[in-house]
Amino acid sequence: MSLAPPPPDPSLPPVRINLFSDTQSRPTPAMRAAMAAAEVGDEQRGEDPTINALCGRVARLLGKEAAMFLPSGTMCNEIAILTHCRPGDEILAHESAHIATSEGGAPWALAGVRVVGLPGPRGQFDAETLRRALSPRGYRYAAPQTLLAVEQTANFGGGSIWPLERLDAVAAAAREAGLATHMDGARLLNASVATAIPPSRYAAGYDTVWIDFTKGLGAPIGAALAGPRAFIEAAWRWKQRLGGAFRQGGIAAAACLYALDHHVGRLAEDHANARRFALLLEEIPGLAVEPPETNLVFFDVGALGISASAFAESLRREGLLLSAFGPARLRAGFHLDIGPAETEEAAAIIRRQAARLRG
Ligand SMILES: *Cc1c(COP(=O)(O)O)cnc(C)c1O
């Protein structure tokens, strides 16, 4: 069995509207110009001025002492886990968390830790659920529980925004139990733009936090992990070990700085397009739409008597690309290559396919 995605089928028309994920945007000409003009040096020697500037900027944005530039969000999560935990430890996170479901088993494979999955609607849980999952303190038979991890926004929770009070309460319960705290902020800036709560405030109760530049921010590469200075120092050993240390990586960091300057406020447009798309889908009989809070829209096609993957395939034949999650659930991700016109057209394609199935 091949693990690669199937090769493009030459009989299919080109993808005209790509809602597969918010990772599907292409770097803009202005972003490419910023990359071409970047001042660079050897990052491993601390000499890349563009990466240094980006790290300072991210540390301030997230309210932490220091930050580290990495190739991907997955590497931010895994380096954080490797630095926070030791083999045999347990991480407490939502059962749908990216670290538990979508990183190739890296916490097990690389760090030797188990992710204990907590239940709860919309990819979230409350402090009480966390407390129930804690093993008794000083209990020698249980695995050491050393880390709490949350996702803001919760990806498979429908891009839902953790309310600040819940984030704070969960972090406080973890701290009380002696756990460190980590926030996967792949889409933290989406939450901040939607609520006007600063990212540093959302992350205040968390020891470490990272943001991704390749989601709605539209950069081709890069993520940054922030935390206490001593933590980032320790994390550098893992960055070096895993081959995540750059040379003239300022070329990539320039795209990320450009995204922070130009692509944060516009996330509100993605949220508006997602809301409009959801409203249009709600009018289609046979679809169950999860009301979007940010740029991701999940909906269920089970009532049409078709699987998510077969429905996605039928849309693909019309030039619309979406992703299937689970037997009947699909996801549309809005990003900077999708405007109001593409949003309307995508909904119209789905309306036609649903009508065909009903008829
Ligand atoms: C995309 C994503 C990641 C991984 O980020 P990459 O940059 O794709 O490695 C981690 N967590 C969440 C919630 C994500 O959506």
Side-chain angles (χ1 to χ4, degrees):
M1 190 189 105
S2 166
L3 297 177
D9 177 345
S11 72
L12 288 176
V15 174
R16 281 181 300 113
I17 306 175
N18 194 335
L19 299 179
F20 186 81
S21 166
D22 52 1
T23 56
Q24 298 294 301
S25 63
R26 301 300 166 101
T28 63
M31 179 180 274
R32 286 172 184 263
M35 297 174 78
E39 265 188 71
V40 297
D42 187 346
E43 190 216 19
Q44 298 185 20
R45 302 176 54 80
E47 290 170 356
D48 190 294
T50 308
I51 293 183
N52 292 344
L54 178 66
C55 290
R57 177 111 177 243
V58 170
R60 284 193 300 280
L61 180 70
L62 301 180
K64 303 299 175 200
E65 286 175 0
M68 161 189 282
F69 186 48
L70 288 166
S72 69
T74 300
M75 206 183 273
C76 288
N77 272 336
E78 296 309 326
I79 285 184
I81 289 169
L82 285 158
T83 310
H84 278 298
C85 305
R86 294 167 56 92
D89 287 358
E90 280 180 357
I91 300 174
L92 300 177
H94 193 268
E95 59 195 1
S96 72
H98 201 276
I99 54 169
T101 61
S102 307
E103 299 187 6
W108 298 251
L110 303 181
V113 305
R114 184 165 88 102
V115 180
V116 177
L118 306 182
R122 305 280 286 161
Q124 302 180 17
F125 49 87
D126 56 18
E128 196 36 51
T129 304
L130 172 64
R131 282 195 199 95
R132 274 200 300 273
L134 293 169
S135 34
R137 267 196 138 155
Y139 182 62
R140 289 185 179 170
Y141 297 99
Q145 296 176 319
T146 48
L147 185 64
L148 163 78
V150 299
E151 264 176 41
Q152 178 74 309
T153 63
N155 184 347
F156 301 137
S160 76
I161 301 172
W162 282 72
L164 184 56
E165 310 70 50
R166 184 180 294 160
L167 274 182
D168 284 351
V170 162
R175 253 196 325 278
E176 214 169 277
L179 274 66
T181 49
H182 173 70
M183 178 181 286
D184 171 338
R187 297 183 182 81
L188 172 58
L189 298 186
N190 288 88
S192 285
V193 165
T195 61
I197 295 172
S200 57
R201 179 61 194 87
Y202 274 131
Y206 290 77
D207 298 312
T208 51
V209 54
W210 62 271
I211 53 171
D212 211 330
F213 296 104
T214 64
K215 301 282 164 79
L217 294 184
I221 186 171
L225 170 67
R229 193 170 303 285
F231 183 94
I232 296 298
E233 258 321 297
W236 255 96
R237 175 148 279 136
W238 283 111
K239 176 169 157 86
Q240 204 74 44
R241 279 179 180 154
L242 295 176
F246 290 103
R247 296 300 182 184
Q248 291 76 28
I251 291 261
C256 305
L257 281 167
Y258 182 90
L260 287 178
D261 285 336
H262 301 280
H263 291 172
V264 176
R266 67 149 305 286
L267 291 172
E269 297 170 30
D270 297 341
H271 300 170
N273 290 330
R275 272 195 306 274
R276 172 74 183 146
F277 181 74
L279 279 177
L280 292 168
L281 260 51
E282 273 165 18
E283 294 166 359
I284 303 174
L287 296 191
V289 186
E290 302 173 30
E293 295 178 39
T294 51
N295 69 324
L296 304 178
V297 183
F298 285 76
F299 61 99
D300 190 291
V301 294
L304 292 172
I306 190 171
S307 72
S309 55
F311 193 67
E313 237 177 81
S314 75
L315 301 175
R316 176 64 191 83
R317 282 194 289 275
E318 306 295 320
L320 171 62
L321 188 60
L322 258 69
S323 48
F325 279 95
R329 197 170 176 230
L330 290 109
R331 184 186 73 179
F334 288 80
H335 53 80
L336 88 176
D337 290 351
I338 302 294
E342 288 83 7
T343 302
E344 301 283 330
E345 193 186 344
I349 293 171
I350 292 171
R351 184 184 308 113
R352 280 200 301 276
Q353 290 301 329
R356 235 167 257 164
L357 286 164
R358 286 195 312 271

